[in-house]
């Protein structure tokens, strides 16, 4: 039984329905990627898991419990962390304060989690008192991921972590995602950079117009002629 | 072509900005020169100028203290609260009711005391209200002004602002104008529209300054100590405590605060309480300092608070404090050249407009509580 189990999900924003019967599964420790063309509903599917869209039908189960239609602050307590694509840091706060905010729901700042975030992203340890607004895009993305890791979630949702990064930083970002996954956190990633993401993941979904189109191991999707031609540019 | 146009426009903007800067600069230099020459030649009395500066600082502390709350609600709730001035008045009446009650216990009946003697049954001078003669009454009043206003402001949020919170800044702003009027006339209804004296005279220390004295009274000292302590407290709260960091986080990015698990409604409640408490305290201190209370002094102060907060950079509490001091000192200093009275209000707004022309985002710029 999968840790995250999304069944036949309909969701959107207000009256606008974007997802039509989406199914998603993520097992424990698994690395799953959602790819697809612009407007396919990739980010919407991820936001729906985290309770940020208008629910219209279907179920979302996490670790056997129903979290359908729950609010983000409840879902955080269940062990899911979410990193939005844009505006995902508090620019006027320092690195350390950003990370502390990630653990707001705990009574004390979890020093062990803080240390493991600093071990994962050593540059953040060196710059812990710097205001995040003055840092580069790549470093801000590390702060954003670190913030979401402070509660040591069982599942981390990453919305386009490589968006807007310089090409040489994209690889580094994917390495960080690999490392987070290797440390025992399941990850669900939405990516524009489909080839690289499918190379690295365990399993991938191709979403088109708000519905599942393909689902298979990453390497299988990469070698599928139809998928390559339609979604990976040949 | 377009790049040429851009370059021309940029040049034009630059030259008009520089022209403005030049005019402001010449004006400032002229005033400063006149001041120095006047002081040197004895046309302006040194002790009189020093008195203006002192009074300006005291007035500026009140404006700054009240401005912190306005700035906080602006940055966290995204609207300019026009009811803030009437929170100042409300807090003053709450606090002075308690001060009268403690100081006048057994001297007059409870009703008129709690209502700050609406028909002038007693006066502060009769009750000998002063920080030196009745310290407990004054401190109790100060405390109640803060705490009761904090709770009262929370109640108003629940009744008036929370229902329209989702609909953006303009509906909230218009709601606040309505709250301001309603609150002000409820104050008239409850406390009456008469202006009354609240304090007895207090001892003061006179400093000899070349050609005269500058005196600092016990109530001036109380104002300085209380205002500075509260400002330091807010600074500590924002920089060091979990709540303060969450407030700064929310003013940065409310959506992210929500997905991070910060309880945004609770942070909003605290923002109202702290901002309201400071407004009420500022009102109490203003009355202690001026020695009179009336139903609309907070409303009249609000425009100056706005000027200070905008001049300092709306959203920044340090901008609010600094802006308050600039406005206060500027207003009082301008009495060197102006006849005083309402003319000094012109100075306040002239200062604000000049600062905004040169630095549109205010002295401390940007929208941040930190």
């Amino acid at each position: 039984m999968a840790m995250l189990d999304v069944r036949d999900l309909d969701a959107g924003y207000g009256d606008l329905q974007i997802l039509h019967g989406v199914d998603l599964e993520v097992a424990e420790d698994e690395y799953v990627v959602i790819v697809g063309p612009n407007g396919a509903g990739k980010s919407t599917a991820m936001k729906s898991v985290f309770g940020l869209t208008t629910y219209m039908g279907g179920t979302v189960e996490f670790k056997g419990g129903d979290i359908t239609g729950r609010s983000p602050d409840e879902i955080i307590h269940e062990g899911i962390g979410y990193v939005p694509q844009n505006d995902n840091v508090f620019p006027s706060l320092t690195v350390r304060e950003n990370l502390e905010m990630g653990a707001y729901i705990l009574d004390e700042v979890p020093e062990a989690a803080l240390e493991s975030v600093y071990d994962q992203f050593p540059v953040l340890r060196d710059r812990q008192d710097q205001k995040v607004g003055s840092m580069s895009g790549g470093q801000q993305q590390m702060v954003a991921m670190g913030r979401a890791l402070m509660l040591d979630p069982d599942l981390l949702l990453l919305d386009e972590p490589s968006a807007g990064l310089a090409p040489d930083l994209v690889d580094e970002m994917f390495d960080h995602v690999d490392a987070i996954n290797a440390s025992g956190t399941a990850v669900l990633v939405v990516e524009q950079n489909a080839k690289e993401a499918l190379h690295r993941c365990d399993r991938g979904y191709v979403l088109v117009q708000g519905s599942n189109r393909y689902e298979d191991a990453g390497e299988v999707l990469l070698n599928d002629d139809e998928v390559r031609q339609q979604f990976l540019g040949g | 072509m377009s790049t040429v146009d851009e370059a021309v426009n940029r040049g034009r903007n630059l030259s008009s900005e520089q022209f403005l800067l030049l005019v402001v600069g010449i004006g400032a230099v002229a005033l400063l020169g006149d001041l120095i020459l006047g002081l040197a030649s004895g046309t302006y009395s040194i002790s009189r100028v020093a008195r203006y500066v002192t009074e300006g600082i005291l007035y500026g502390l009140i404006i700054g203290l009240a401005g912190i709350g306005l700035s906080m609600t602006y940055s966290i709730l995204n609207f300019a609260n026009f009811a803030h001035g009437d929170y100042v008045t409300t807090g003053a009446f709450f606090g002075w009711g308690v001060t009268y009650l403690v100081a006048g216990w057994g001297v007059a009946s409870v009703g008129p005391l709690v209502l700050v003697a609406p028909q002038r049954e007693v006066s502060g001078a009769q009750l000998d209200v002063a920080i030196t003669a009745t310290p407990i009454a004054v401190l109790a009043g100060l405390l109640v002004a803060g705490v009761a206003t904090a709770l009262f402001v929370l109640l108003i949020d629940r009744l008036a602002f929370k229902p329209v919170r989702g609909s953006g800044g303009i509906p909230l702003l218009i709601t606040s104008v309505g709250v301001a009027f309603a609150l002000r006339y409820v104050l008239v209804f409850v406390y009456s529209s008469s202006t009354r004296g609240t304090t007895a005279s207090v001892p003061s220390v006179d400093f000899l300054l070349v050609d005269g004295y500058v005196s600092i009274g016990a109530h001036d000292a109380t104002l300085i100590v209380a205002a500075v302590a509260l400002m330091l407290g807010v600074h500590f709260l924002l920089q060091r405590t979990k709540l303060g960091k969450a407030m700064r986080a929310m003013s940065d990015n409310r959506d992210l605060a929500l997905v991070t698990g910060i309880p945004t409604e609770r942070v909003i409640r605290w923002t109202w309480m702290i901002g309201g408490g400071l407004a009420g305290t500022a009102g109490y201190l203003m009355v202690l300092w001026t020695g009179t209370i009336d139903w609309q002094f907070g409303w009249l102060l609000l425009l100056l608070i706005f000027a200070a907060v905008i001049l300092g950079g709306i959203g920044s509490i340090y901008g609010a404090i600094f802006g308050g001091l600039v406005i206060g000192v500027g207003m009082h200093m301008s009495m060197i050249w102006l006849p005083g009275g309402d003319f000094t209000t012109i100075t306040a707004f002239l200062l604000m407009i000049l600062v905004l022309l040169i630095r549109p985002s205010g002295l401390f710029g940007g929208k941040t509580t930190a």
Side-chain angles (χ1 to χ4, degrees):
Chain A
M1 166 112 185
M3 180 166 63
L4 177 73
D5 192 356
V6 178
R7 281 289 152 88
D8 204 20
L9 186 69
D10 296 337
Y13 304 100
D15 292 332
L16 180 68
Q17 184 172 357
I18 293 180
L19 302 184
H20 302 270
V22 167
D23 296 317
L24 284 174
E25 283 185 11
V26 180
E28 270 180 46
D29 301 343
E30 201 179 16
Y31 182 169
V32 178
V33 162
I34 307 175
V35 297
N38 281 331
K42 306 185 294 288
S43 292
T44 308
M46 177 171 278
K47 284 179 186 165
S48 300
V49 171
F50 205 66
L52 290 167
T53 58
T54 309
Y55 170 74
M56 296 169 182
T59 56
V60 181
E61 286 186 5
F62 185 65
K63 292 195 286 192
D66 189 6
I67 59 165
T68 317
R70 303 267 290 276
S71 65
D73 56 323
E74 292 174 306
I75 291 172
I76 286 173
H77 287 268
E78 301 294 327
I80 302 182
Y82 168 61
V83 181
Q85 180 185 348
N86 299 313
D87 297 327
N88 52 18
V89 292
F90 300 113
S92 77
L93 270 59
T94 65
V95 169
R96 195 191 153 92
E97 286 169 343
N98 264 271
L99 298 178
E100 285 175 7
M101 286 300 109
Y104 191 91
I105 62 171
L106 303 180
D107 291 334
E108 298 278 323
V109 177
E111 290 299 330
L114 189 65
E115 279 308 307
S116 88
V117 168
Y118 282 153
D119 290 341
Q120 175 69 45
F121 306 105
V123 66
L124 299 188
R125 189 198 309 269
D126 302 336
R127 295 176 178 236
Q128 53 179 313
D129 294 321
Q130 188 176 339
K131 286 201 174 172
V132 173
S134 66
M135 297 170 83
S136 72
Q139 288 166 349
Q140 291 196 7
Q141 188 65 34
M142 292 180 198
V143 173
M145 286 163 73
R147 198 209 74 242
L149 288 171
M150 284 295 287
L151 292 175
D152 194 16
D154 298 316
L155 172 63
L156 183 64
L157 309 174
L158 296 169
D159 197 348
E160 308 224 9
S162 75
L165 296 185
D168 53 324
L169 291 176
V170 170
D171 256 358
E172 197 187 326
M173 192 50 59
F174 275 112
D175 290 343
H176 282 303
V177 177
D178 283 351
I180 291 166
N181 181 234
S183 73
T185 304
V187 277
L188 178 62
V189 184
V190 165
E191 254 307 328
Q192 284 287 352
N193 201 334
K195 275 185 190 167
E196 184 66 27
L198 288 173
H199 260 303
R200 303 217 180 206
C201 71
D202 296 324
R203 217 152 45 77
Y205 288 90
V206 181
L207 241 58
V208 178
Q209 292 182 349
S211 301
N212 290 54
R213 179 66 62 89
Y214 300 99
E215 176 204 338
D216 219 320
E219 294 296 332
V220 176
L221 288 176
L222 274 176
N223 294 318
D224 185 296
D225 284 342
E226 261 183 82
V227 173
R228 282 221 322 245
Q229 275 179 356
Q230 290 181 49
F231 307 110
L232 305 175
Chain B
M1 272 311 280
S2 69
T3 53
V4 175
D5 283 348
E6 277 168 24
V8 169
N9 276 333
R10 214 166 35 234
R12 201 175 280 152
N13 288 341
L14 202 65
S15 62
S16 72
E17 261 171 40
Q18 281 177 340
F19 176 70
L20 199 72
L21 204 62
L22 197 69
V23 171
V24 174
I26 290 173
V29 168
L31 284 178
L32 194 68
D34 180 60
L35 181 62
I36 292 169
L37 287 177
L39 287 174
S41 68
T43 318
Y44 303 136
S45 138
I46 292 175
S47 60
R48 191 175 67 140
V49 172
R51 273 201 300 278
Y52 286 155
V53 173
T54 317
E55 278 171 27
I57 289 172
L58 293 168
Y59 198 36
L61 284 173
I62 292 171
I63 295 173
L65 195 60
I68 291 172
L70 190 69
S71 210
M72 279 167 84
T73 43
Y74 178 85
S75 69
I76 290 168
L77 296 154
N78 282 320
F79 85 106
N81 180 16
F82 275 79
H84 198 75
D86 297 292
Y87 294 171
V88 172
T89 322
T90 309
F93 274 109
F94 283 162
W96 280 93
V98 170
T99 298
Y100 269 40
L101 193 62
V102 175
W105 189 257
V107 179
S109 51
V110 170
L113 287 176
V114 170
L115 297 177
V116 199
Q119 306 305 325
R120 304 199 190 143
E121 294 90 340
V122 285
S123 72
Q126 275 171 277
L127 298 175
D128 203 19
V129 172
I131 183 71
T132 41
T134 56
I136 292 169
V138 170
L139 292 178
L142 189 63
L143 188 70
V144 168
V147 174
T149 314
L151 297 174
F152 181 73
V153 163
L154 201 59
L155 180 73
I156 291 193
D157 176 54
R158 194 59 52 85
L159 294 176
F161 295 120
K162 201 177 174 195
V164 286
R165 196 169 289 152
S167 39
I170 298 296
L172 278 165
L173 185 148
I174 292 168
T175 304
S176 79
V177 175
V179 169
F181 277 99
L183 188 53
R184 199 170 325 137
Y185 290 100
V186 168
L187 287 177
V188 171
F189 184 75
V190 174
Y191 291 99
S192 94
S193 62
S194 69
T195 303
R196 48 264 206 196
T198 51
T199 51
S201 57
V202 285
S204 60
V205 183
D206 293 340
F207 299 96
L208 178 65
L209 204 70
V210 190
D211 53 6
Y213 290 93
V214 178
S215 77
I216 304 281
H219 286 163
D220 301 337
T222 311
L223 165 59
I224 293 172
V225 170
V228 170
L230 285 168
M231 286 168 178
L232 287 174
V234 174
H235 166 74
F236 178 80
L237 174 94
L238 284 174
Q239 299 301 330
R240 294 290 156 81
T241 68
K242 193 173 169 183
L243 173 69
K245 289 173 189 174
M247 290 169 112
R248 286 159 54 213
M250 251 186 96
S251 100
D252 263 9
N253 188 337
R254 196 165 159 184
D255 291 336
L256 186 63
L258 202 65
V259 303
T260 303
I262 294 173
T264 51
E265 270 301 320
R266 196 158 84 209
V267 175
I268 288 173
R269 279 203 297 277
W270 276 106
T271 305
W272 276 120
M273 286 176 68
I274 294 164
L278 292 173
T281 316
Y284 185 93
L285 290 169
M286 173 99 175
V287 171
L288 183 73
W289 183 56
T290 60
T292 59
I293 191 167
D294 71 75
W295 58 285
Q296 61 172 350
F297 80 92
W299 170 248
L300 298 177
L301 198 64
L302 180 68
L303 283 178
L304 296 178
I305 299 172
F306 265 121
V309 164
I310 292 169
L311 180 153
I314 192 155
S316 158
I317 68 141
Y318 307 106
I321 296 169
F322 189 74
L325 290 171
V326 169
I327 294 280
V329 173
M331 280 175 76
H332 282 83
M333 287 281 282
S334 71
M335 288 200 287
I336 298 170
W337 300 280
L338 292 171
D342 286 344
F343 279 99
T344 56
T345 313
I346 302 173
T347 315
F349 287 92
L350 211 58
L351 274 172
M352 181 191 85
I353 291 168
L354 287 177
V355 168
L356 291 189
L357 282 171
I358 295 162
R359 247 186 93 88
S361 58
L363 292 174
F364 282 68
K367 178 181 153 301
T368 159
T369 318

